[in-house]
Amino acid sequence: MTDTRKKAAALRYDTKKESAPRVVAKGKGKTAEKILQIAKEHKVPIKDDPHLVEILSTLDLYQEIPPELYRAVAEILAFVYRMTRKVQ
């Protein structure tokens, strides 16, 4: 049986302090809804990528993403950059 509940993951990347983005929140169901709600309240761009969320959900909180995810996460960071540039 497949778990069809909504899932979410949040990343943080401080280029001055970290060598790679980190997973700072993750969850499914009500927790995922809360993550998305907080992101919307703070005008954080949201990218819908169920496959990447599935992978990020396997990482520990505050764990740096592994090198094999750099390309996928770089695409997310580029998306966020484009979205924030449109808002400004």
Side-chain angles (χ1 to χ4, degrees), residues 39-62:
K40 289 174 186 172
E41 288 171 1
H42 293 276
K43 297 181 174 54
V44 173
I46 298 169
K47 175 81 166 123
D48 187 14
D49 188 333
H51 180 69
L52 183 58
V53 168
E54 197 66 43
I55 294 168
L56 293 173
S57 294
T58 66
L59 301 177
D60 292 332
L61 284 177
Y62 301 103

Side-chain angles (χ1 to χ4, degrees), residues 2-13:
T2 304
D3 185 356
T4 58
R5 292 182 287 180
K6 180 177 255 344
K7 292 182 180 182
L11 297 172
R12 177 187 73 205
Y13 186 34

